[in-house]
Amino acid sequence: MLNIKDLNIQFFDQETHSWNTAVSKVNFNVGRGKVLGIVGESGSGKSVTSFSIMRLLDPQHSRVEGTILFNNINLNELSDDEIRHYRGNKIAMIFQEPMTSLNPVFTCGDQVQEAIMLHQQINKKAAKEKTIALFKEVQLPRPESIFDTYPHQLSGGQKQRVMIAMALSCNPELLIADEPTTALDVTVQQTILQLLLRLKNERNMAMIFISHDLGVISEIADDVAVMYKGEIIEQGTVSNLFHHPRHSYTKGLLACRPSPLYRLKKLPVVADFLGKNESKPIAYLLAENSYTDAEIDYKRNNLYTQPPILELKDLCTWYPVRNGLFGQTTAVVKAVDGISMKVFPGETLGLAGESGCGKTTLGRSILRLIEPSSGQIFFEGTDITHLKPSGLRKLRREIQLIFQDPYSSLNPRMTVGNTLMEPLQVHQLFHSDKQRKTHLQNLLQMVGLNPDHFNRYPHEFSGGQRQRIVIARALALQPKFIICDESVSALDVSVQAQVLNLLRQLQQELGLTYIFISHDLAVVKHLSDRMIIMNKGKIEEEGFPEIIYNHPQTDYTKKLIAAIPGNIHLM
């Protein structure tokens, strides 16, 4: 159905007044009813390639050369009017971030209905009926109600289903899914993948599925193409690529995903493999880098014979639901419901569970960013539950938070240096700004950045670099305790591995204690000394990672483990 030959894409650089190559000599085919997975890190050319198929690149600032045959028609040679017949009609696309792809001022139904009316030229009533039928097909709950619902009122998985319904609205022959499950819970991700496969089979569509995660690709694709620096360096069937990877970059991508089978001292990163003809199986390399049982026992004996640094006793954070003319409380949302737990100095306690289970609310309640409804919080033996603002300010020198999205948590108008300097000035650490700057430049080096980055702005950095800046900001006040809230969930698996290694290295060098919050059980298991599984505001299960993973006690935990994508740890 789709045949790409010698695809080259260039972009014009306004600063240098030259053309830069983004994609070079790309060739691949996609057959009807088949799924091609395209995998690679951010910047490898995956999305740009898909945009060129849809003719979405700005012709004034880009050059697209080569042949893009769709049912033997060269899309590259069509006029703007002719390509509109294909775009959205014959070829549809699901974009990476549904919240930015959906218009916040229109209801979900209006947006899908508009696409149907535009391409199929049917009246509004018929378009509405078709929209509701599509909502049913993508298994949205209460489709008639969701027709009148705005995007911000839906969960991430529900918004993604609306995007899928919109993409399917004109019965496309080819569906391009660009990172459609990034940052979703593993259980929601699994249902989206199953939904896409079901729809593909029922409609006999071809599909291009783009992802940075080979584990996700293994769940849905028939064939895989690996992209690196704008080129396809390896392609083949899923089975061949996973069990007999040839290129060192592919081996690096496979190895850097946390493996549930091993307790690794350090995650491999892509750079460890590039340029090396490593003949050993990946499983052997992982086993070589794993903690022994004796090392794990020694650490646990040291961790759990000391008093806890943090203790929660029956902590509750409830939200009233107000309705009616006078705002009367009609219900209560129990976001955190009677949590009791201990965290020990030097430990990493992992908090796992789906979105809405109470993980983030618990983390913010500990810091008193959200006021608990009841219960007690003890830090180093002192009850901090009712501390006054001056006491809280001192406490927050000791306990810091790393937010989920580094870009939205950094002020775009402030340089990195000013962002890091501000907390030091507020807390009056060091005697002068000169001493503070020296401290912060050393800190930037510690987190793997250049001291010269001090004077740059957040938009000048990659996602992984911004996450390192946020880590540096958390460390600036020299805290003892850090809460990491989904701090690697939206990163490429290769960058994620680097950040996880950095967190562990900093813990060992600085004696830090972590609460690590994530919906990804494989990541939590890799980094944590102990794990807590949360569900509906309560502790579902608690224990050592390997025991929870190998012997889950509840159906909810079993469901989370079953949803971990891919079997790449079996290679």
Side-chain angles (χ1 to χ4, degrees), residues 375-441:
Q376 291 177 290
I377 307 166
F378 293 89
F379 183 74
E380 294 189 316
T382 301
D383 190 344
I384 64 168
T385 319
H386 304 290
L387 276 182
K388 298 289 187 288
S390 59
L392 274 178
R393 193 175 296 115
K394 290 179 183 177
L395 173 73
R396 286 174 185 155
R397 268 200 62 187
E398 307 290 344
I399 309 178
Q400 285 287 302
L401 178 65
I402 299 173
F403 294 94
Q404 177 170 357
D405 181 356
Y407 195 68
S408 63
S409 63
L410 292 170
N411 188 330
R413 295 184 171 188
M414 292 176 68
T415 64
V416 168
N418 288 336
T419 297
L420 298 178
M421 186 77 77
E422 191 176 43
L424 296 181
Q425 292 168 335
V426 169
H427 289 275
Q428 298 179 339
L429 261 69
F430 302 100
H431 297 295
S432 67
D433 281 350
K434 184 180 179 181
Q435 288 181 335
R436 292 176 186 123
K437 184 176 180 180
T438 301
H439 167 68
L440 293 173
Q441 287 181 321

Side-chain angles (χ1 to χ4, degrees), residues 9 45 68 76 96 118 127 131 146 197 206 257 324 359 379 397 435 465 502 539:
I9 303 171
I68 304 173
N76 228 6
Q96 177 168 356
L118 178 68
T131 300
I146 283 183
L197 275 176
R257 172 84 179 138
K359 309 184 301 292
F379 183 74
R397 268 200 62 187
Q435 288 181 335
Q465 287 174 319
L502 173 64
I539 291 176

Side-chain angles (χ1 to χ4, degrees), residues 230-401:
E231 297 183 12
I232 291 180
I233 56 164
E234 187 168 356
Q235 58 181 314
T237 65
V238 167
S239 178
N240 280 343
L241 196 93
F242 275 58
H243 293 98
H244 307 288
R246 298 187 305 276
H247 199 281
S248 56
Y249 178 74
T250 310
K251 293 176 183 178
L253 280 183
L254 287 166
C256 66
R257 172 84 179 138
S259 167
L261 290 187
Y262 303 99
R263 290 298 306 274
L264 299 178
K265 297 176 182 178
K266 180 183 175 185
L267 281 171
V269 296
V270 170
D272 295 335
F273 290 82
L274 285 179
K276 297 178 182 177
N277 295 316
E278 183 59 73
S279 59
K280 295 177 183 176
I282 293 172
Y284 181 84
L285 296 171
L286 296 179
E288 272 189 330
N289 185 32
S290 295
Y291 284 106
T292 65
D293 290 344
E295 287 172 321
I296 293 170
D297 289 342
Y298 179 78
K299 184 176 183 181
R300 286 174 181 167
N301 288 337
N302 286 334
L303 278 179
Y304 303 119
T305 54
Q306 52 189 336
I309 188 171
L310 179 79
E311 184 173 4
L312 309 184
K313 292 186 178 179
D314 202 25
L315 193 71
C316 296
T317 304
W318 295 359
Y319 299 112
V321 178
R322 304 186 192 278
N323 285 310
L325 182 63
F326 300 104
Q328 293 177 315
T329 300
T330 55
V332 173
V333 175
K334 298 180 178 180
V336 174
D337 191 17
I339 296 287
S340 297
M341 68 183 203
K342 295 177 181 179
V343 187
F344 295 86
E347 179 184 30
T348 300
L349 176 70
L351 281 183
E354 297 171 292
S355 292
C357 71
K359 309 184 301 292
T360 294
T361 303
L362 177 59
R364 296 186 179 207
S365 298
I366 291 167
L367 276 164
R368 299 266 310 278
L369 295 173
I370 298 172
E371 287 298 336
S373 308
S374 63
Q376 291 177 290
I377 307 166
F378 293 89
F379 183 74
E380 294 189 316
T382 301
D383 190 344
I384 64 168
T385 319
H386 304 290
L387 276 182
K388 298 289 187 288
S390 59
L392 274 178
R393 193 175 296 115
K394 290 179 183 177
L395 173 73
R396 286 174 185 155
R397 268 200 62 187
E398 307 290 344
I399 309 178
Q400 285 287 302
L401 178 65

